[in-house]
Amino acid sequence: MLKVGDKLPEFEGINQDGKTITSSKLAGKKLIIFFYPQANTPTCTVEACNLSDNYSKLKNAGFQLLGISGDTVKKQKNFHSKFSFPYDLIADENHDVINKFGVWQEKKTFGKTYMGIVRTTFIFDENGVCTRVIEKVTSKTAAEQILEK
C-alpha cells in the first residue's frame, strides 16, 4: 500500500461523465483520494455523502477531492447523479489505479475470505507527496478524520 512520503502515482481514469482524469491534472493542489468498495452501498454512500456535506470545509482547507472504486462509469454516474456530489468519481474497472495505490487486498466478512477494495483515504500535499493515509476510515465522520491534524 502507498505510504506517507510516497509520491502520487501517475494514473489516468474515467470519471462519471466519461471524461479522462489524470494525476498530472491534479498536481499543484492538496488532494484527497478516497477509495471505496462499491457505489450505492450503505457504508460507501454514508462516506461519500459525509464528504459531500463537508465539501466546502475541505475546499476551504485547500483540498480537491476524488473518489475511486472498481465500478463501471454507468454505476458511478448513477451514484454521482443521485447524490449530486460536487467532486469526481473514477470508474476503475481494470483496477489500474486501485493496484497502484495497493488497496486491492484480501478481506474477511463473516468468516468468508475474498479480494476487494479496502476503504482507504490518501492525502497529498501540493507537491504530490503523500502526507497521510487513513486506513481506518469512519464513514460517518470521514471529513472530520481528514481535517483533524
Side-chain angles (χ1 to χ4, degrees):
M1 183 181 294
L2 206 72
K3 56 191 181 311
V4 171
D6 288 346
K7 288 287 273 179
L8 176 66
E10 286 191 26
F11 67 85
E12 189 175 281
I14 306 297
N15 76 357
Q16 69 283 344
D17 297 319
K19 293 191 173 105
T20 300
I21 304 289
T22 62
S23 53
S24 59
K25 286 183 187 170
L26 302 169
K29 289 185 182 174
K30 293 194 290 186
L31 174 65
I32 298 162
I33 299 180
F34 69 101
F35 288 87
Y36 57 98
Q38 193 174 357
N40 268 317
T41 55
T43 306
C44 296
T45 299
V46 167
E47 177 184 13
C49 286
N50 175 268
L51 293 169
S52 183
D53 293 345
N54 290 283
Y55 184 71
S56 60
K57 287 181 191 172
L58 296 167
K59 200 169 178 184
N60 289 341
F63 288 109
Q64 54 186 337
L65 192 57
L66 183 65
I68 302 175
S69 74
D71 291 304
T72 63
V73 171
K74 184 178 180 187
K75 279 188 86 174
Q76 295 291 40
K77 176 74 173 170
N78 291 342
F79 190 39
H80 194 272
S81 297
K82 184 176 180 180
F83 295 100
S84 303
F85 295 133
Y87 50 81
D88 282 324
L89 300 177
I90 297 287
D92 189 25
E93 290 181 79
N94 297 327
H95 296 182
D96 294 337
V97 184
I98 291 163
N99 287 328
K100 285 183 180 188
F101 280 78
V103 295
W104 185 257
Q105 298 176 15
E106 188 175 274
K107 298 170 74 174
K108 282 186 180 180
T109 306
F110 304 115
K112 184 181 164 205
T113 302
Y114 61 97
M115 295 299 289
I117 294 174
V118 176
R119 186 182 314 281
T120 312
T121 300
F122 296 89
I123 303 171
F124 295 89
D125 66 13
E126 298 88 339
N127 300 314
V129 175
C130 184
T131 58
R132 200 157 151 230
V133 179
I134 304 171
E135 292 184 61
K136 301 266 188 253
V137 175
T138 306
S139 296
K140 289 179 184 173
T141 58
E144 291 87 340
Q145 278 184 294
I146 290 165
L147 292 168
E148 69 190 21
K149 299 286 182 236

